[in-house]
Amino acid sequence: MGQQAFYRQIAQASQKYTDEIEPVYSAINKPVLIIWGEEDTWVPIEKGQKLHKKMKTSSFISIPRAGHLVQEDQPSILLSYILKFLVK
């Protein structure tokens, strides 16, 4: 069930949903941590960098040897960055 739900979610993904909220990114005033896998072939790292530039309060971290599922590829590194962000 979990894997099927995941694939169903991917099939329903559409750029239009993110495009419609993009104008409010610059209004975000809370800290945002963006973490991206350097080897993400589904959503290239350039998209993450573009997102980062639109959010004044964001930090951007790229994770080497990680693709789209950073939590699977580099879980320890991902967790270390999240914990550092949360204790600020």
Side-chain angles (χ1 to χ4, degrees):
M1 177 169 171
Q3 188 177 27
Q4 290 173 340
F6 177 71
Y7 288 130
R8 209 171 30 254
Q9 179 184 359
I10 289 173
Q12 295 170 356
S14 173
Q15 181 71 38
K16 73 179 184 175
Y17 300 119
T18 53
D19 288 347
E20 65 188 26
I21 65 164
E22 191 172 320
V24 300
Y25 291 165
S26 63
I28 295 172
N29 61 9
K30 300 291 183 189
V32 174
L33 177 61
I34 302 169
I35 300 177
W36 218 274
E38 290 181 3
E39 298 171 14
D40 189 338
T41 57
W42 188 34
V43 183
I45 196 166
E46 292 80 18
K47 288 279 194 177
Q49 293 163 335
K50 182 179 174 186
L51 175 64
H52 168 56
K53 289 177 184 170
K54 291 178 182 278
M55 292 184 187
K56 295 176 251 171
T57 59
S58 70
S59 300
F60 184 87
I61 297 170
S62 62
I63 305 291
R65 297 177 307 284
H68 189 70
L69 299 176
V70 177
Q71 69 276 19
E72 296 291 328
D73 297 332
Q74 297 290 352
S76 298
I77 295 171
L78 174 65
L79 183 58
S80 71
Y81 282 116
I82 292 172
L83 290 174
K84 286 177 193 172
F85 177 75
L86 292 175
V87 296
K88 284 185 181 178

